[in-house]
Amino acid sequence: NAGVTQTPKFRILKIGQSMTLQCAQDMNHNYMYWYRQDPGMGLKLIYYSVGAGITDKGEVPNGYNVSRSTTEDFPLRLELAAPSQTSVYFCASSPGTVNNEQFFGPGTRLTVL
Amino acid sequence: EDKVVQSPLSLVVHEGDTVTLNCSYEVTNFRSLLWYKQEKKAPTFLFMLTSSGIEKKSGRLSSILDKKELFSILNITATQTGDSAIYLCAVGTNYGGSQGNLIFGKGTKLSVKP
Protein backbone atom coordinates (compact mmCIF):
# COMPACT_ATOMS: atom_id res chain seq x y z
CA ASN A 1 0.00 0.00 0.00
CA ALA A 2 1.19 3.51 -0.81
CA GLY A 3 -0.81 4.95 2.10
CA VAL A 4 -1.66 8.63 1.69
CA THR A 5 -0.06 10.37 -1.27
CA GLN A 6 -0.01 14.08 -2.07
CA THR A 7 1.01 16.06 -5.13
CA PRO A 8 2.75 18.34 -5.75
CA LYS A 9 5.47 18.40 -3.08
CA PHE A 10 6.24 22.07 -3.65
CA ARG A 11 4.51 24.89 -5.48
CA ILE A 12 4.95 28.63 -5.84
CA LEU A 13 1.88 30.63 -6.84
CA LYS A 14 1.31 34.26 -7.66
CA ILE A 15 -1.42 36.18 -5.85
CA GLY A 16 -4.78 35.50 -7.46
CA GLN A 17 -3.79 32.25 -9.15
CA SER A 18 -5.67 29.05 -8.49
CA MET A 19 -4.55 25.49 -8.01
CA THR A 20 -5.61 22.09 -6.76
CA LEU A 21 -3.69 20.05 -4.23
CA GLN A 22 -4.20 16.38 -4.84
CA CYS A 23 -4.61 13.74 -2.15
CA ALA A 24 -5.25 10.04 -2.54
CA GLN A 25 -5.32 7.07 -0.19
CA ASP A 26 -5.44 3.36 -0.94
CA MET A 27 -6.44 2.10 2.50
CA ASN A 28 -10.20 2.29 1.87
CA HIS A 29 -10.57 4.82 4.68
CA ASN A 30 -13.88 6.63 4.92
CA TYR A 31 -12.54 9.71 6.68
CA MET A 32 -10.20 12.17 5.05
CA TYR A 33 -8.87 15.54 6.23
CA TRP A 34 -6.97 18.57 5.04
CA TYR A 35 -4.76 20.49 7.47
CA ARG A 36 -2.46 23.42 7.18
CA GLN A 37 0.58 23.91 9.37
CA ASP A 38 2.16 27.32 9.83
CA PRO A 39 5.57 27.76 11.51
CA GLY A 40 5.38 27.29 15.27
CA MET A 41 1.74 26.31 15.10
CA GLY A 42 -0.03 23.02 15.31
CA LEU A 43 -2.13 21.58 12.55
CA LYS A 44 -5.34 23.41 11.78
CA LEU A 45 -8.21 21.58 10.12
CA ILE A 46 -9.40 23.11 6.85
CA TYR A 47 -12.01 20.61 5.61
CA TYR A 48 -12.87 17.03 6.28
CA SER A 49 -14.96 14.29 4.73
CA VAL A 50 -16.69 11.32 6.33
CA GLY A 51 -17.29 9.53 3.05
CA ALA A 52 -17.75 9.95 -0.67
CA GLY A 53 -20.08 12.83 -1.42
CA ILE A 54 -19.91 14.29 2.11
CA THR A 55 -17.66 17.18 3.10
CA ASP A 56 -17.69 19.68 5.93
CA LYS A 57 -15.80 22.74 7.08
CA GLY A 58 -13.11 22.59 9.70
CA GLU A 59 -11.57 25.40 11.70
CA VAL A 60 -10.07 27.47 8.83
CA PRO A 61 -12.07 26.83 5.61
CA ASN A 62 -12.07 30.33 4.10
CA GLY A 63 -10.36 30.52 0.72
CA TYR A 64 -10.56 26.77 0.11
CA ASN A 65 -12.92 24.25 -1.41
CA VAL A 66 -12.97 20.47 -1.47
CA SER A 67 -14.81 17.66 -3.17
CA ARG A 68 -15.04 13.92 -2.49
CA SER A 69 -16.35 12.11 -5.53
CA THR A 70 -14.61 8.84 -4.65
CA THR A 71 -13.44 7.16 -1.44
CA GLU A 72 -9.82 7.39 -2.60
CA ASP A 73 -9.47 11.05 -3.61
CA PHE A 74 -9.90 14.28 -1.68
CA PRO A 75 -8.58 17.29 -3.63
CA LEU A 76 -8.23 20.74 -2.06
CA ARG A 77 -8.85 23.76 -4.29
CA LEU A 78 -7.48 27.26 -3.81
CA GLU A 79 -9.40 29.67 -6.04
CA LEU A 80 -7.68 33.03 -5.49
CA ALA A 81 -4.36 32.46 -3.80
CA ALA A 82 -3.33 34.95 -1.13
CA PRO A 83 -0.03 35.32 0.79
CA SER A 84 -1.86 34.20 3.95
CA GLN A 85 -2.23 30.79 2.35
CA THR A 86 1.52 30.24 2.35
CA SER A 87 1.83 27.12 4.47
CA VAL A 88 2.49 23.39 4.50
CA TYR A 89 -0.61 21.39 3.68
CA PHE A 90 -1.16 17.88 4.97
CA CYS A 91 -3.80 15.43 3.91
CA ALA A 92 -4.76 12.61 6.28
CA SER A 93 -7.12 9.68 6.39
CA SER A 94 -8.51 7.42 9.07
CA PRO A 95 -10.63 4.26 9.19
CA GLY A 96 -13.55 6.03 10.83
CA THR A 97 -14.19 3.45 13.51
CA VAL A 98 -13.45 3.73 17.22
CA ASN A 99 -9.83 4.48 16.35
CA ASN A 100 -9.06 8.16 15.96
CA GLU A 101 -5.60 7.50 14.49
CA GLN A 102 -4.99 9.50 11.34
CA PHE A 103 -2.44 8.62 8.70
CA PHE A 104 -0.72 11.57 7.09
CA GLY A 105 0.58 12.24 3.62
CA PRO A 106 4.05 13.77 3.06
CA GLY A 107 2.73 17.31 2.72
CA THR A 108 2.72 20.06 0.08
CA ARG A 109 4.74 23.19 0.72
CA LEU A 110 2.94 26.13 -0.90
CA THR A 111 4.30 29.65 -1.24
CA VAL A 112 2.13 32.51 -2.49
CA LEU A 113 4.05 35.57 -3.66
CA GLU B 1 -13.83 26.40 22.87
CA ASP B 2 -11.91 23.14 22.63
CA LYS B 3 -8.19 23.49 23.14
CA VAL B 4 -5.02 21.45 23.55
CA VAL B 5 -1.99 23.04 25.22
CA GLN B 6 1.48 21.57 25.11
CA SER B 7 4.46 22.52 27.24
CA PRO B 8 7.21 23.33 26.96
CA LEU B 9 7.11 24.72 23.41
CA SER B 10 10.77 23.93 22.96
CA LEU B 11 13.38 21.98 24.84
CA VAL B 12 17.10 21.39 24.41
CA VAL B 13 18.72 18.41 26.14
CA HIS B 14 21.85 16.31 25.82
CA GLU B 15 22.03 12.72 24.75
CA GLY B 16 21.22 10.37 27.58
CA ASP B 17 18.88 12.80 29.35
CA THR B 18 15.30 11.90 30.19
CA VAL B 19 12.56 14.30 29.07
CA THR B 20 8.90 14.71 29.91
CA LEU B 21 6.56 16.47 27.52
CA ASN B 22 3.20 17.71 28.72
CA CYS B 23 -0.19 17.97 27.10
CA SER B 24 -3.31 19.37 28.76
CA TYR B 25 -6.71 19.64 27.15
CA GLU B 26 -10.18 21.06 27.47
CA VAL B 27 -12.58 19.47 25.02
CA THR B 28 -16.16 18.38 24.95
CA ASN B 29 -16.88 14.75 24.09
CA PHE B 30 -13.35 13.45 24.67
CA ARG B 31 -12.64 10.21 22.87
CA SER B 32 -8.87 9.69 22.79
CA LEU B 33 -5.51 11.41 23.05
CA LEU B 34 -2.83 10.79 20.48
CA TRP B 35 0.88 11.56 20.30
CA TYR B 36 2.66 12.08 17.01
CA LYS B 37 6.32 12.63 16.15
CA GLN B 38 7.05 15.04 13.31
CA GLU B 39 10.51 15.20 11.84
CA LYS B 40 10.97 16.89 8.52
CA LYS B 41 7.76 15.79 6.93
CA ALA B 42 4.49 14.21 7.94
CA PRO B 43 3.55 13.40 11.53
CA THR B 44 3.98 9.74 12.40
CA PHE B 45 1.84 8.04 14.99
CA LEU B 46 3.30 7.13 18.40
CA PHE B 47 0.49 6.34 20.84
CA MET B 48 -3.23 6.51 21.30
CA LEU B 49 -4.57 6.69 24.85
CA THR B 50 -8.18 6.25 25.85
CA SER B 51 -8.09 5.10 29.47
CA SER B 52 -6.64 6.78 32.53
CA GLY B 53 -3.64 5.33 34.30
CA ILE B 54 -2.64 2.77 31.69
CA GLU B 55 0.86 3.35 30.43
CA LYS B 56 1.61 2.79 26.78
CA LYS B 57 5.24 1.92 26.07
CA SER B 58 7.35 1.59 22.96
CA GLY B 59 11.06 1.21 23.51
CA ARG B 60 12.35 4.31 25.27
CA LEU B 61 9.06 6.16 24.84
CA SER B 62 6.11 5.89 27.16
CA SER B 63 2.92 7.83 27.72
CA ILE B 64 0.09 7.97 30.21
CA LEU B 65 -3.26 9.73 30.38
CA ASP B 66 -5.06 11.29 33.36
CA LYS B 67 -8.69 11.89 32.39
CA LYS B 68 -9.56 13.38 35.74
CA GLU B 69 -6.90 16.08 35.56
CA LEU B 70 -7.17 16.31 31.75
CA PHE B 71 -3.56 15.83 30.80
CA SER B 72 -1.07 13.41 29.35
CA ILE B 73 2.69 13.11 29.48
CA LEU B 74 5.14 11.65 27.01
CA ASN B 75 8.41 10.40 28.50
CA ILE B 76 11.56 9.72 26.55
CA THR B 77 14.41 8.05 28.42
CA ALA B 78 18.07 7.92 27.38
CA THR B 79 17.44 10.43 24.59
CA GLN B 80 19.32 10.14 21.30
CA THR B 81 19.93 12.71 18.57
CA GLY B 82 17.38 10.82 16.46
CA ASP B 83 14.70 11.82 18.96
CA SER B 84 15.04 15.44 17.80
CA ALA B 85 11.64 16.34 16.37
CA ILE B 86 8.42 18.16 17.04
CA TYR B 87 6.10 16.12 19.23
CA LEU B 88 2.43 16.79 18.62
CA CYS B 89 -0.39 16.03 21.00
CA ALA B 90 -3.90 15.72 19.58
CA VAL B 91 -7.26 15.00 21.15
CA GLY B 92 -9.91 13.05 19.30
CA THR B 93 -13.52 13.89 19.92
CA ASN B 94 -16.89 12.37 19.30
CA TYR B 95 -18.83 14.39 16.81
CA GLY B 96 -22.52 13.71 16.36
CA GLY B 97 -22.12 10.10 17.44
CA SER B 98 -19.49 9.13 14.91
CA GLN B 99 -15.78 9.60 14.84
CA GLY B 100 -14.82 13.23 15.00
CA ASN B 101 -11.80 15.31 14.37
CA LEU B 102 -8.41 15.73 15.98
CA ILE B 103 -7.59 18.96 17.77
CA PHE B 104 -3.86 19.54 17.77
CA GLY B 105 -1.61 21.37 20.19
CA LYS B 106 1.18 23.59 18.88
CA GLY B 107 3.78 20.93 19.54
CA THR B 108 6.97 20.67 21.57
CA LYS B 109 10.18 21.06 19.62
CA LEU B 110 12.78 18.76 21.15
CA SER B 111 16.45 19.16 20.26
CA VAL B 112 18.88 16.52 21.50
CA LYS B 113 22.54 17.59 21.45
CA PRO B 114 25.34 15.04 21.16
Side-chain angles (χ1 to χ4, degrees):
Chain A
N1 286 352
V4 180
T5 57
Q6 290 182 239
T7 57
K9 291 183 180 178
F10 306 95
R11 184 73 186 268
I12 298 174
L13 285 181
K14 294 182 179 178
I15 294 172
Q17 286 186 318
S18 61
M19 77 163 293
T20 299
L21 281 66
Q22 301 292 344
C23 174
Q25 52 93 7
D26 61 359
M27 297 176 282
N28 202 32
H29 287 169
N30 285 323
Y31 289 72
M32 294 188 75
Y33 308 83
W34 274 107
Y35 294 93
R36 60 177 287 172
Q37 186 176 35
D38 300 322
M41 304 294 288
L43 292 136
K44 297 218 179 262
L45 183 65
I46 304 171
Y47 270 95
Y48 69 100
S49 169
V50 301
I54 306 168
T55 62
D56 209 346
K57 295 177 180 179
E59 185 181 358
V60 290
N62 291 346
Y64 307 94
N65 273 303
V66 294
S67 60
R68 185 94 182 272
S69 56
T70 66
T71 299
E72 293 79 18
D73 300 298
F74 190 40
L76 177 73
R77 178 90 178 154
L78 283 71
E79 290 294 349
L80 290 170
S84 61
Q85 293 177 305
T86 294
S87 190
V88 180
Y89 291 84
F90 289 102
C91 178
S93 73
S94 76
T97 60
V98 297
N99 185 344
N100 278 112
E101 180 185 351
Q102 293 182 11
F103 299 82
F104 285 83
T108 294
R109 183 175 293 275
L110 176 67
T111 302
V112 182
L113 299 174
Chain B
E1 182 183 340
D2 293 342
K3 62 180 179 180
V4 176
V5 179
Q6 292 186 245
S7 63
L9 292 180
S10 66
L11 189 57
V12 180
V13 300
H14 288 95
E15 272 191 317
D17 288 348
T18 293
V19 298
T20 298
L21 310 183
N22 303 294
C23 177
S24 64
Y25 61 91
E26 292 179 31
V27 300
T28 53
N29 298 314
F30 174 89
R31 189 181 194 121
S32 59
L33 186 144
L34 294 85
W35 285 96
Y36 284 85
K37 179 182 181 181
Q38 185 178 25
E39 296 176 86
K40 291 186 178 176
K41 291 192 175 179
T44 54
F45 174 78
L46 293 174
F47 299 111
M48 184 173 75
L49 304 153
T50 56
S51 301
S52 276
I54 298 175
E55 186 183 50
K56 292 274 182 98
K57 200 169 172 65
S58 176
R60 295 176 294 102
L61 277 67
S62 63
S63 184
I64 197 161
L65 172 67
D66 185 329
K67 289 169 74 174
K68 182 179 177 185
E69 300 298 329
L70 308 183
F71 79 91
S72 173
I73 59 172
L74 175 68
N75 278 322
I76 309 175
T77 59
T79 52
Q80 302 171 358
T81 54
D83 295 326
S84 296
I86 296 172
Y87 290 84
L88 296 168
C89 174
V91 173
T93 65
N94 286 312
Y95 217 48
S98 61
Q99 183 196 353
N101 305 319
L102 290 179
I103 302 164
F104 281 86
K106 293 184 179 181
T108 293
K109 183 176 181 180
L110 175 64
S111 299
V112 181
K113 303 292 186 186

